[in-house]
Amino acid sequence: MSERRLQEALETLKESGVRITPQRHAVLEYLIKSMSHPTADEIYKALEGKFPNMSVATVYNNLRVFRDIGLVRELTYGDSSSRFDCNTEKHYHIICEKCGKIVDFHYPSLDEVESLAEQVTGFDVTHHRMEVYGICNDCKKKEQH
Amino acid sequence: MSERRLQEALETLKESGVRITPQRHAVLEYLIKSMSHPTADEIYKALEGKFPNMSVATVYNNLRVFRDIGLVRELTYGDSSSRFDCNTEKHYHIICEKCGKIVDFHYPSLDEVESLAEQVTGFDVTHHRMEVYGICNDCKKKEQH
DNA sequence: ATATAGATTATAAACATTATCAAATAATAA
DNA sequence: TTATTATTTGATAATGTTTATAATCTATAT
Ligand SMILES: [Mn+2]
Ligand SMILES: [Mn+2]
Ligand SMILES: [Zn+2]
Ligand SMILES: [Zn+2]
């Protein structure tokens, strides 16, 4: 399952003329297998066992490459550091305000908002972003003590 | 009009037990009169004529105070620095991807998304954020050269 | 196997924001 | 008013994330 996605991602790299280095392979593999929304530093720390000499700049560089060819999406929240999502299907996120957990959820695209915004403001709309915030189940349970 | 809003804001400060210093007054006045979404540094630069000795930390401190008592909203985008909005009415933003212009627009709250997300994920939803991105009229005209 | 464009590493730099703390100021009590 | 206390300011240092630089290394094509 995630093996298949990794193969597809490597194929996309080749098609884009991006070299497949061991570091790139590892970052990509981590992104796909972790199924989460890690920060650059989380990826860096997760891989320092396998790659003790890898530079943090390499992680940043490769994440930028992946983003630019559409393999990952960069998520920027209020907190300090970006998060990276290799789920390229259209989806939204709900974020726990206590523990920071990010969960995917699906909802039809908000086309109506886009077209109204276009009419009212005269912009040419390209896209939108939307997130829902709240308290996750785990954190609710912890509060009950 | 903005005079009235400034008076109300000062009233809110008093009620919250926050001292009204000349610097606070100036930051608040700038936020309300500018009718825009400035960064901390823009506010700092705009006021350095009147307050040549004001520290940039004072701007940050006061913006945090204002935010914590609900007088302004902090907007965090992918780019480096936060922007501050003293329009406390419910509204959304549309942002130009070329020049960074931020324009308010109104739309009914996306309650349906919130309740679906609640059902699907088990979160207790508190709020959501949504922005539309595109190219503004001015930038469209400039492109036609 | 060799050449070379591109990638990696270590390091420094950039940048926004926060922390620190002495000095200044404002609120409050006497 | 004056003394006391709490808050705020301003200068500066520190923090944390991300990017730039430059020397070295390597994946890939020929
Ligand atoms: Mn996701
Ligand atoms: Mn606004
Ligand atoms: Zn949680
Ligand atoms: Zn524009």
Side-chain angles (χ1 to χ4, degrees):
Chain A
M1 176 58 185
S2 65
E3 197 53 47
R4 163 127 296 277
R5 293 193 52 209
L6 181 55
Q7 289 311 317
E8 283 171 14
L10 292 171
E11 196 55 43
T12 306
L13 286 188
K14 266 186 210 156
E15 284 164 11
S16 308
V18 175
R19 289 184 187 171
I20 298 163
T21 66
Q23 294 89 339
R24 269 188 193 147
H25 189 284
V27 171
L28 211 43
E29 189 177 32
Y30 180 80
L31 272 166
I32 289 171
K33 295 208 170 153
S34 74
M35 295 291 282
S36 61
H37 304 82
T39 64
D41 199 58
E42 280 167 11
I43 298 169
Y44 174 64
K45 285 193 165 56
L47 298 180
E48 72 181 356
K50 258 190 215 167
F51 295 87
N53 295 319
M54 182 165 62
S55 170
V56 69
T58 298
V59 177
Y60 279 101
N61 286 340
N62 288 337
L63 287 171
R64 186 167 18 168
V65 169
F66 298 160
R67 183 196 61 195
D68 291 349
I69 63 177
L71 268 183
V72 306
R73 275 203 294 161
E74 183 173 358
L75 312 175
T76 55
Y77 300 121
D79 63 342
S80 38
S81 43
S82 287
R83 297 183 163 274
F84 295 87
D85 190 348
C86 70
N87 180 351
T88 48
E89 291 169 42
K90 276 209 167 186
H91 67 284
Y92 295 107
H93 293 115
I94 182 163
I95 300 160
C96 179
E97 293 181 286
K98 283 262 186 283
C99 68
K101 192 194 301 167
I102 301 172
V103 176
D104 292 352
F105 77 93
H106 290 269
Y107 191 84
S109 187
L110 302 166
D111 299 329
E112 209 187 282
V113 186
E114 289 198 357
S115 58
L116 179 127
E118 210 158 40
Q119 284 170 39
V120 173
T121 63
F123 277 53
D124 275 0
V125 169
T126 57
H127 65 288
H128 69 270
R129 80 175 258 184
M130 194 265 295
E131 292 117 34
V132 180
Y133 292 84
I135 311 292
C136 77
N137 255 323
D138 293 346
C139 288
K140 273 192 276 182
K141 280 176 198 156
K142 279 178 198 155
E143 268 183 2
Q144 288 168 356
H145 290 284
Chain B
M1 176 59 187
S2 66
E3 198 52 48
R4 163 127 295 276
R5 293 192 53 210
L6 181 56
Q7 289 310 317
E8 283 171 13
L10 293 171
E11 196 56 42
T12 306
L13 285 187
K14 266 186 210 156
E15 284 165 11
S16 310
V18 175
R19 291 182 185 169
I20 298 163
T21 65
Q23 294 88 340
R24 270 187 192 146
H25 190 284
V27 171
L28 211 44
E29 187 177 34
Y30 180 80
L31 271 167
I32 290 171
K33 294 209 170 153
S34 75
M35 294 293 282
S36 61
H37 304 83
T39 64
D41 199 59
E42 280 167 10
I43 298 170
Y44 174 65
K45 285 193 165 58
L47 298 179
E48 71 180 356
K50 257 190 213 165
F51 295 86
N53 296 321
M54 184 165 60
S55 171
V56 68
T58 298
V59 177
Y60 279 101
N61 286 339
N62 290 337
L63 288 171
R64 187 166 19 170
V65 169
F66 299 160
R67 183 196 62 194
D68 291 348
I69 64 177
L71 267 182
V72 307
R73 275 203 295 161
E74 183 174 358
L75 311 176
T76 55
Y77 299 120
D79 64 340
S80 38
S81 42
S82 288
R83 297 184 162 275
F84 295 87
D85 190 348
C86 70
N87 179 351
T88 49
E89 292 169 43
K90 277 207 168 187
H91 66 286
Y92 296 107
H93 294 115
I94 182 164
I95 300 160
C96 179
E97 294 181 283
K98 282 263 185 282
C99 67
K101 192 193 301 168
I102 300 172
V103 177
D104 292 351
F105 77 92
H106 290 269
Y107 191 84
S109 188
L110 302 166
D111 299 328
E112 209 186 282
V113 186
E114 288 198 358
S115 59
L116 180 126
E118 210 157 41
Q119 283 169 40
V120 172
T121 63
F123 277 52
D124 275 1
V125 169
T126 57
H127 65 288
H128 67 271
R129 81 175 257 185
M130 195 265 295
E131 291 118 34
V132 180
Y133 293 84
I135 310 292
C136 78
N137 255 325
D138 292 346
C139 289
K140 273 192 276 181
K141 279 177 198 156
K142 278 176 199 158
E143 268 183 2
Q144 287 169 354
H145 289 289

